[in-house]
Amino acid sequence: MTIQKKIPCVIMRGGTSRGTYFLANDLPREWEKRKQILMAAMGSGDPLQVNGIGGGNSLTSKAAIISRSNEADADIDYLFAQVAIEDMEVDITPSCGNILSGAAPMAIEYGLVTASEGETTVRVRNVNTNTLIEVIVQTPNGFVDYEGDATIDGVPGSGAPILLKFFDVCGTKTGELLPTGSVRDTFDGVEVSCVDASMPMVLIPAKSLDVTGWETKYELDANKALLQKIESIRLQASLKMGLGDATGKVIPKVGLLSPAQFGGTITSRYFVPQNCHTSHSVTGAICVSVSCMLPGSITEDIITQSEEESQNIVVEHPSGKIDLLLEGNYSNNTLNIKSAGLMRTARMLFKGEVHIPGKVWDIPA
């Protein structure tokens, strides 16, 4: 008889995503075994993920692995995993700023970080990108507070604010802000900008693909001809960005850009990558906002605010907007970004154990 294996876990909404959070010590060290465990836990291989705790959506089929950090400048290590739904795959090449917003509260809850009175600053090393994020969590009386008046578009209700400050956002995956060496490239006759700032992205003017960029997620997802054009451009751009063949991979992501409609800086439809995000990823919003400060980019032709206001960026998306504050400047023909800050909320939904088949845990390393 094979007995199911019980693994401690937390299910938390982080920003506009929902994920399963694990402590690294509760999982095997070998990545291949961890990968099999994550897929079994989430129910991969089925569009409904009915045999697991995933929600049948890319925004809810996510996982985070948390541990104390050995780095002098970090308190915890955070590894993000995008768990495929229908395929048996787990991708750790991208990161996720939304799921990240739940990592610091979990670290405090489990004693990896000692809470301070009022608020607690947690220094997070993103293992996916080897970058540092400073996260401020509300901790009145030394306990994590999830309730408050802060709101983010794409999430009903309100919560306590969690402040994120990303450092070293330029070239996080390729090592270069402009990985193709050019501020503009042309694929299939469409002029784009390939930018790597927190997330490598291919930024495309919506009008170049005969859409407004203001369509709903559902309208864009139903436009199969558009999706085919986007994927063709993405695959070609990936090769030129040095990311290799992107077939079946989630990076680079795509931003379909158009002018803002509601007083923001720019409108972005973020593709993940085969369908449009219901709102917007944090890392993708950072990339779009950085491109707004980049002279010569395709974004420069679209933004609707003056140069002196360009460090306060508002990215409009299908569910509302996301506000970002960039610290940086453009000098000597170089864009220097010191940090990118924004606000998220998170809520712990479940704390307990996930059960997986014993044979999965016992797979040889």
Side-chain angles (χ1 to χ4, degrees), residues 273-290:
Q274 275 74 38
N275 58 79
C276 182
H277 199 296
T278 56
S279 53
H280 209 289
S281 83
V282 167
T283 50
I286 291 173
C287 187
V288 171
S289 66
V290 169

Side-chain angles (χ1 to χ4, degrees), residues 11-263:
I11 298 177
M12 190 177 296
R13 176 188 61 77
T16 57
S17 295
R18 192 182 76 222
T20 305
Y21 294 70
F22 298 93
L23 294 178
N25 288 341
D26 292 327
L27 297 172
R29 291 182 178 273
E30 301 86 0
W31 169 244
E32 187 57 36
K33 294 186 78 169
R34 286 185 173 184
K35 176 181 172 180
Q36 296 297 327
I37 288 167
L38 292 179
M39 291 188 295
M42 302 303 281
S44 295
D46 166 46
L48 297 179
Q49 293 183 317
V50 71
N51 202 34
I53 56 177
N57 186 292
S58 61
L59 302 185
T60 58
S61 189
K62 299 184 175 187
I65 301 174
I66 313 296
S67 62
R68 282 194 176 93
S69 182
N70 293 322
E71 301 295 323
D73 59 351
D75 299 310
I76 65 169
D77 285 349
Y78 156 76
L79 176 68
F80 168 72
Q82 181 70 58
V83 185
I85 298 172
E86 297 187 55
D87 299 323
M88 300 300 288
E89 294 290 340
V90 179
D91 196 347
I92 57 172
T93 53
S95 183
C96 178
N98 280 303
I99 292 296
L100 168 67
S101 63
M106 180 181 173
I108 297 170
E109 295 268 16
Y110 278 84
L112 302 184
V113 175
T114 301
S116 302
E117 171 58 40
E119 62 182 31
T120 302
T121 299
V122 181
R123 300 170 303 164
V124 181
R125 183 175 77 95
N126 186 330
V127 178
N128 306 79
T129 58
N130 195 31
T131 55
L132 187 68
I133 304 96
E134 184 179 273
V135 184
I136 300 178
V137 181
Q138 303 304 302
T139 53
N141 302 314
F143 295 94
V144 176
D145 188 8
Y146 297 101
E147 299 185 24
D149 298 325
T151 61
I152 57 174
D153 291 334
V155 177
S158 62
I162 296 174
L163 304 180
L164 308 178
K165 194 171 188 178
F166 292 75
F167 299 95
D168 301 320
V169 300
C170 295
T172 52
K173 186 59 67 173
T174 65
E176 300 290 340
L177 176 63
L178 297 173
T180 69
S182 303
V183 72
R184 297 191 185 208
D185 294 279
T186 300
F187 304 104
D188 292 344
V190 177
E191 199 169 38
V192 307
S193 288
C194 300
V195 181
D196 180 4
S198 198
M199 174 66 71
M201 291 186 67
V202 184
L203 304 176
I204 308 174
K207 65 180 182 180
S208 298
L209 298 183
D210 299 320
V211 292
T212 66
W214 300 327
E215 291 85 357
T216 67
K217 162 187 167 57
Y218 307 102
E219 289 172 330
L220 293 171
D221 288 351
N223 190 338
K224 302 306 178 184
L226 172 69
L227 297 180
Q228 289 176 359
K229 291 178 184 177
I230 288 176
E231 183 65 359
S232 175
I233 292 171
R234 188 181 81 92
L235 293 177
Q236 294 174 69
S238 180
L239 294 174
K240 194 168 183 181
M241 294 170 77
L243 293 168
D245 184 3
T247 303
K249 299 179 181 179
V250 299
I251 63 170
K253 299 291 177 66
V254 170
L256 199 61
L257 306 183
S258 58
Q261 286 184 290
F262 306 105

